[in-house]
Amino acid sequence: MTRAERVVARFPEKEIDLLLVTDLTNVRYLTGFTGTNAMAVIGPDLRRFVTDFRYVEQAGHEVDGFEVERGPQDFMTALAEGWPPGELRLGFDDGHVTVRAHRRLREVVPERIELVPAGGLVEAERAVKEPGEIERIRAAAALADDIYAWVEDQGLVGRTEREVALALEHEMRLRGAEDPSFPSIVAAAENGALPHATPRDVPIPAGTLVTLDLGCRLDGYCSDCTRTWATGELPDALAEIHALVLRAQETALAAVRAGPTGEEIDAVAREIIAAAGHGDHFGHGLGHGVGLEVHEAPRLSPTGTDALVAGNVVTVEPGVYVPGLSGARIEDLVVVTEDGCDVLSGAPKALRTVG
Ligand code: ZN
Ligand code: ZN
C-alpha cells in the first residue's frame, strides 16, 4: 500500500470520508513535496495536491501519485471546488490548523461538507518507519557520531559553549547535513542542570560535566544524540550522576522492544533514578519518536499510552539535573524490533574525559 492508502485505511477511526492535509511535514510524507506552501486532500478515490505558482515546477518533479494543481492567489479558495458529490465528512488536522484558518475553511468549503477534527492520522503512519526511512535516519545518526568524534578531537576546556555549538553545526553542514535537527546544546557545569540549556558565552571549565545534545538533518530525516563528558577529574557527586544516568539508560534500552507502552519503558529508567534519590531531578520523558521531525510519535513518557511496534524509531534519553550543581543526559536513537532494538547511535557512552 502507498502511504496515502494506509492513511485512508485509518479513516474509520475518525469516521471521515476525506482528509485535508495542511501540515507541511505531513504533506511531504504523503506526496514527496519539500517546498513551503502546499496542501493535499486524500480520500478513497481522491489524491489532490495544491501549491502556488512558485512551486508548480518543483512539484512536478517531486510529487508522486497526486494530481498537481496550481492554486489561486488566495490559496485556500482552491477548496471551494473539486469535491466529490454528496454530504461528506472532511477531516482536518486540528493539531495544526489555526483558529483563523479554520474559520476561513468554513467560509470556503461547501456547506454540505462537514469539518471534522481528525489530527494524528498521518502522524500515526509516520511513526512506523519504512526500511528506506530507517536507512536515512541511520545515515543521519552516523553523521552525528562523526561530529562527536570531531568534537573530542577539538577539545572543550577554555572554549565557550557558544563557540563549540557554532563550530559543530558548521562542521555538520560541511559534512553534508542540510541543517542541525534542532539548536545544538552545549551545557557545562551548572548550565548542565538545565535540560534544554542555551549555550552561553562562558568558557567551559576543567573538572566538570559537559552535556552535548545534537542532531543532523540529512535527506529530510533527523538524528538526535546526547553525550556527557568529563573535562578532567570529577567531584564524586558528578561522577555518580553520570554513572546513574548510564545505568538507567542501558537498563531502559534493554527493555525496548515491540509490545510494551511508552509509559512502561519510561518507568524502567525512572525507577532506577528515583531509587537513587534523584526522582525529582528527572522531570522530562524518557524519549520520543524521530523521523522527518525531531520530535514525533510515539512518546516514551509517563503519558505514553501507545504500545511500541517494530519500525518505531525512538530516543532513550534519561537525565539527572541537580540545580546549582550540574547534570548529565545520555541519549541513543534506536529502531524498535520485535524482540529488542537496533541502536543507531555509535558514539561511546562510558564516561570519557576531554580536555
Ligand atoms: Zn537530543
Ligand atoms: Zn531527544
Side-chain angles (χ1 to χ4, degrees):
M1 284 206 281
T2 65
R3 292 172 178 179
E5 283 168 345
R6 296 201 304 264
V7 172
V8 169
R10 290 178 177 271
F11 280 9
E13 292 171 30
K14 305 282 184 184
E15 299 178 351
I16 56 174
D17 305 300
L18 301 165
L19 180 66
L20 170 65
V21 183
T22 49
D23 171 64
L24 285 169
T25 307
N26 287 339
V27 170
R28 176 176 185 164
Y29 180 76
L30 290 174
T31 71
F33 178 70
T34 62
T36 61
N37 190 38
M39 55 188 173
V41 184
I42 62 173
D45 304 306
L46 188 66
R47 296 286 184 274
R48 227 183 133 184
F49 173 91
V50 188
T51 188
D52 69 57
F53 82 99
R54 293 171 300 169
Y55 290 119
V56 171
E57 190 175 343
Q58 180 181 339
H61 300 302
E62 291 180 342
V63 173
D64 192 25
F66 280 70
E67 208 66 55
V68 174
E69 292 171 39
R70 174 178 158 178
Q73 198 80 39
D74 183 357
F75 195 57
M76 211 179 267
T77 58
L79 299 177
E81 294 166 358
W83 301 101
E87 289 186 9
L88 297 166
R89 285 168 59 84
L90 171 65
F92 69 92
D93 191 346
D94 53 322
H96 296 283
V97 172
T98 63
V99 173
R100 182 188 296 185
H102 183 267
R103 194 185 312 128
R104 184 79 184 112
L105 263 180
R106 194 54 285 172
E107 287 166 8
V108 165
V109 171
E111 250 174 66
R112 64 186 170 83
I113 298 175
E114 186 185 347
L115 296 179
V116 181
L121 293 184
V122 183
E123 285 84 348
E125 280 306 316
R126 281 170 44 195
V128 186
K129 269 66 181 179
E130 299 160 2
E133 295 183 286
I134 290 171
E135 287 321 303
R136 286 153 137 178
I137 298 169
R138 189 186 300 277
L143 181 50
D145 289 345
D146 293 346
I147 294 301
Y148 276 134
W150 179 83
V151 166
E152 279 198 1
D153 283 348
Q154 301 289 307
L156 293 170
V157 176
R159 304 171 73 200
T160 70
E161 294 174 349
R162 227 166 72 83
E163 279 169 25
V164 173
L166 280 170
L168 70 84
E169 290 184 356
H170 182 71
E171 185 68 18
M172 77 170 71
R173 284 173 187 261
L174 286 177
R175 294 181 186 221
E178 290 155 20
D179 269 320
S181 314
F182 55 89
S184 307
I185 294 172
V186 179
E190 70 280 2
N191 205 26
L194 280 61
H196 271 189
T198 304
R200 303 170 298 177
D201 281 313
V202 171
I204 296 170
T208 190
L209 290 172
V210 186
T211 297
L212 273 73
D213 188 352
L214 62 88
C216 313
R217 188 188 301 272
L218 196 61
D219 205 5
Y221 283 79
C222 297
S223 60
D224 188 4
C225 184
T226 307
R227 294 292 185 261
T228 301
W229 281 270
T231 55
E233 189 82 23
L234 287 180
D236 287 349
L238 296 188
E240 282 164 16
I241 287 172
H242 190 281
L244 172 63
V245 170
L246 181 59
R247 184 157 59 86
Q249 204 271 346
E250 290 183 330
T251 310
L253 204 55
V256 173
R257 62 185 162 79
T261 62
E263 180 187 3
E264 287 167 333
I265 305 296
D266 176 275
V268 172
R270 203 163 296 281
E271 279 165 21
I272 291 171
I273 290 170
H278 283 292
D280 290 343
H281 298 149
F282 175 30
H284 59 72
L286 179 68
H288 52 87
V290 174
L292 288 169
E293 288 181 302
V294 73
H295 293 116
E296 55 180 55
R299 301 281 164 176
L300 276 59
S301 81
T303 57
T305 51
D306 291 343
L308 295 183
V309 299
N312 286 155
V313 173
V314 297
T315 67
V316 177
E317 50 176 310
V320 169
Y321 313 92
V322 183
L325 185 64
S326 191
R329 179 169 63 254
I330 297 172
E331 174 180 34
D332 279 337
L333 188 57
V334 311
V335 186
V336 178
T337 63
E338 289 301 339
D339 53 3
C341 67
D342 178 8
V343 181
L344 303 180
S345 305
K349 289 191 283 195
L351 186 61
R352 291 160 75 89
T353 301
V354 177

